Amino acid sequence: MALGYVRPARPEDAGEIARIQLATWRVAYRRILPRHVLDNLDEAFLARRWSAAVLEPPSGAHRVLVAVEQAEQSYLVGFAASGPADGEALAPGEPADALGPDVAAVTDLLVEPRWGRRGHGSRLLAAAVDLWREDGMSRAVAWAFDGDEATRKFLTSTGWEPDGAARALDVDDMLVPQVRLHVGVPTEKVPAE
């Protein structure tokens, strides 16, 4: 197990978060999303969006967390973004109030592939769950690409299950199916083994 920790993202992390997002998407989604879409993603644009997410979140319950690998130097290796469920968390045709105010939604949970399988994803998820509990959330949801077996396997190994909702994202005239997973947020912190 790697030495590492999770902390809230800082404004100066935005560029590194964008780099991690691009690097991860280009590896993990290369068989899911069209290549030209991945090739044309603008890192500077993503960095500006992450900077805004860190500096001006829609609420105090919207958070960006980063995973840090500790060695001779420290490296940002992953991140998670979540907040109260909104319209983006809904399935097509689902009523606006279907998820309720006590449901958190994960919008991103990525660890750069070269830093995978070192506990960073688990630490990010555990830190997010602690914050959801503090915010009074009782459940969390996350959309995953149907073809993203790594994310689906990771989430289901931690207790997440498909909730039956599905959608397809239109990515440059290509429909990319997604499934929604959910998990209950424990009311008390689970002690580490």
Side-chain angles (χ1 to χ4, degrees):
M1 182 78 51
L3 290 176
Y5 61 92
V6 171
R7 64 167 170 77
R10 300 173 188 144
E12 62 268 21
D13 296 330
E16 192 64 3
I17 292 169
R19 186 199 62 74
I20 291 167
Q21 183 177 16
L22 279 180
T24 303
W25 281 18
R26 286 177 176 157
V27 171
Y29 301 154
R30 70 182 182 271
R31 290 188 174 90
I32 297 171
L33 299 175
R35 181 182 177 132
H36 70 277
V37 169
L38 294 172
D39 288 344
N40 291 323
L41 290 171
D42 181 10
E43 189 170 335
F45 170 77
L46 292 174
R48 286 190 300 276
R49 293 195 59 180
W50 285 115
S51 180
V54 172
L55 287 169
E56 303 165 6
S59 77
H62 286 82
R63 297 181 180 92
V64 180
L65 303 172
V66 294
V68 179
E69 168 96 6
Q70 276 186 282
E72 291 178 18
Q73 295 181 21
S74 293
Y75 304 94
L76 226 60
V77 298
F79 67 96
S82 67
D86 59 13
E88 296 296 316
L90 295 171
E94 204 167 33
D97 61 351
L99 295 177
D102 63 338
V103 177
V106 176
T107 55
D108 290 280
L109 177 59
L110 298 172
V111 173
E112 192 174 354
R114 66 187 169 135
W115 299 102
R117 310 216 35 93
R118 298 165 74 91
H120 297 299
S122 295
R123 281 190 286 279
L124 283 165
L125 193 54
V129 168
D130 288 344
L131 293 169
W132 299 336
R133 185 181 313 101
E134 289 176 18
D135 293 336
M137 301 296 179
S138 66
R139 192 165 68 100
V141 296
W143 287 99
F145 289 115
D146 195 41
D148 183 0
E149 292 182 30
T151 296
R152 292 179 64 186
K153 184 177 179 180
F154 169 69
L155 289 175
T156 57
S157 75
T158 62
W160 293 66
E161 300 175 325
D163 70 0
R167 69 183 182 189
L169 296 183
D170 184 350
V171 181
D172 201 33
D173 292 329
M174 178 180 158
L175 293 179
V176 183
Q178 290 187 308
V179 295
R180 190 172 65 195
L181 295 99
H182 72 127
V183 71
V185 175
T187 56
E188 294 181 13
K189 188 171 184 169
V190 179
E193 294 181 27

